Amino acid sequence: MPDLSVYPAPDRVLGCLLGGGIGDALGAPLEGFTLDVIREKHGPDGPDDFVAERFGRGAITDDTQLTMFTAYALVQASARERAGGGARGVGTAAPGLLQAAYLTWFRGQGEEFPDQGVEGGGWLAGEPALMTRRGPGRSTLAALHRAAERRRPTVPLGTPREPNGDSKGCGGTMRAAPCGFGHADPADAFELGCRAAALTHGHPSGYLPAGVHAAMVSALLRGAELEESLHLAREQLKRHPGNRETLEALGHAASLRHEGPATPERLQTLGGGWTGDQAIAIAVYAALAPGDVESRLRLAVTHTGDSDSTGAICGNLLGARYGADAFPRRWRDGLEVGSALTRLAAACSAEFGPNPPADPGGHPIAQ
Ligand SMILES: [Mg+2]
């Protein structure tokens, strides 16, 4: 195991964010279609490029939108903590700023809810692709409605101890990757991933897989191999109550790898990826498959189920391990929000790197 007490590599931070967007955009047109239909349209291994169906060619969905609002809020929380003389990366303000950022995203979903007074998410709110409805999850919308009714955007409604709802949907897990950016200790990354997810997903199988996702990303950005990162994340998972489903799902993914070549048929025995435990298991199975990054990401979306979310999570993991250049150029160039993701990645690397900006006004997050 390498020494993980290092700063996250900027190219891997970028890879994690871009990879998530690419997996999301690749999987979006496939969501809900059966494997047979996907193969009929796109060939035996699924699409090798973005297709124009659903939201448009290379278009992201709610997974990438919310991942970006997560990243923004965490940089903001860390910078605020430093300005107050506190420890960097932790940000006790993080859950409140995350909720405020999600409520800004919520404004773009066309739902009626009370004005919140406070805006989160900074310049992301000015990006049209982030403020438009792209297949948001029902649990997330319902939970944000409940939070919005209180009109206290920066006071988190849901925590793992006092859940907001009981959803085990994958909506908390698919946006958790940035929770691994600021924390070198897997326990801290795991905790923050759970906190961020529990704002809208109150079932342990809705927030614990987000902890797994965040802890894996944290280790990968700092030089761990995929197997090592999974081991570290599972060790954290074992310490948390309510972990049975997520442990079993990951155990199933591990044993499946020894049963034969990685195929969509085998992958589908892990479920459709609609719940957090299934989504992380599918993403991990595809990320650990043999072959190049391209074929592993295609596997992550080529199944009957929540292809954009399993693609997004798998893309986060692959990008955090192999960096942005590991993805084919046609995917990097064709992605809808590539430049916004690049700008956001730079702000994350500045905040969580060796020399965080001293002047809040000059912080890349504010530019
Ligand atoms: Mg989606």
Side-chain angles (χ1 to χ4, degrees):
M1 186 76 69
D3 174 15
L4 299 177
S5 61
V6 295
Y7 296 108
D11 175 58
R12 293 181 180 215
V13 172
L14 176 62
C16 178
L17 289 176
L18 271 183
I22 289 169
D24 182 17
L26 200 62
L30 315 184
E31 187 186 69
F33 285 100
T34 64
L35 178 58
D36 285 346
V37 170
I38 293 170
R39 281 183 161 152
E40 227 166 81
K41 281 185 166 180
H42 306 291
D45 301 319
D48 68 355
D49 204 353
F50 299 134
V51 295
E53 285 147 66
R54 206 166 170 210
F55 302 118
R57 195 177 158 82
I60 56 155
T61 79
D62 59 330
D63 304 52
T64 305
Q65 291 176 333
L66 284 163
T67 298
M68 293 177 75
F69 278 96
T70 300
Y72 187 96
L74 294 178
V75 170
Q76 208 181 9
S78 176
R80 197 169 284 191
E81 195 80 2
R82 284 192 296 113
R88 187 162 58 127
V90 182
T92 48
L97 289 170
L98 283 164
Q99 182 174 276
Y102 297 159
L103 284 166
T104 295
W105 166 85
F106 193 38
R107 210 159 42 69
Q109 305 308 303
E111 305 267 325
E112 290 288 324
F113 65 95
D115 181 50
Q116 299 296 301
V118 175
E119 269 290 273
W123 58 266
L124 299 187
E127 293 282 324
L130 302 186
M131 296 297 288
T132 182
R133 196 171 174 108
R134 296 279 176 87
R138 275 198 308 268
S139 307
T140 304
L141 295 179
L144 290 178
H145 266 299
R146 288 191 291 274
E149 287 305 321
R150 293 153 72 236
R151 300 194 188 200
R152 297 162 75 200
T154 57
V155 180
L157 177 58
T159 69
R161 283 184 180 200
E162 293 176 39
N164 177 4
D166 189 36
S167 175
K168 56 160 119 170
C170 71
T173 305
M174 54 69 159
R175 64 175 188 242
C179 298
F181 291 0
H183 290 294
D185 185 336
D188 294 335
F190 192 98
E191 200 61 42
L192 183 57
C194 291
R195 287 294 304 262
L199 290 168
T200 54
H201 289 70
H203 192 286
S205 300
Y207 62 78
L208 292 176
V212 171
H213 189 194
M216 287 186 73
V217 165
S218 165
L220 293 168
L221 294 178
R222 292 166 173 84
E225 295 295 334
L226 281 159
E227 288 274 13
E228 293 172 331
S229 75
L230 178 59
H231 173 75
L232 287 170
R234 278 175 58 106
E235 290 303 304
Q236 294 304 318
L237 177 61
K238 287 178 187 166
R239 299 172 44 222
H240 287 74
N243 59 14
R244 189 180 54 83
E245 283 179 332
T246 307
L247 272 177
E248 281 179 4
L250 290 173
H252 185 181
S255 59
L256 208 55
R257 292 172 53 215
H258 303 295
E259 287 175 19
T263 61
E265 285 79 4
R266 283 206 172 82
L267 179 145
Q268 291 193 150
T269 65
L270 297 167
W274 302 105
T275 58
D277 54 318
Q278 291 178 7
I280 194 73
I282 289 172
V284 161
Y285 177 72
L288 283 162
D292 58 15
V293 162
E294 180 176 338
S295 65
R296 293 190 229 176
L297 198 54
R298 289 174 69 184
L299 175 64
V301 301
T302 304
H303 62 90
T304 307
D306 195 351
S307 297
D308 53 337
S309 294
T310 54
I313 299 169
C314 183
N316 288 144
L317 298 175
L318 290 170
R321 167 63 185 85
Y322 299 106
D325 290 343
F327 298 99
R329 179 148 285 284
R330 67 182 187 283
W331 289 355
R332 280 181 284 149
D333 291 348
L335 183 63
E336 180 180 30
V337 289
S339 61
L341 282 167
T342 303
R343 181 178 169 194
L344 190 59
C348 292
S349 288
E351 179 60 33
F352 301 124
N355 300 301
D359 166 24
H363 198 295
I365 200 69
Q367 307 301 304

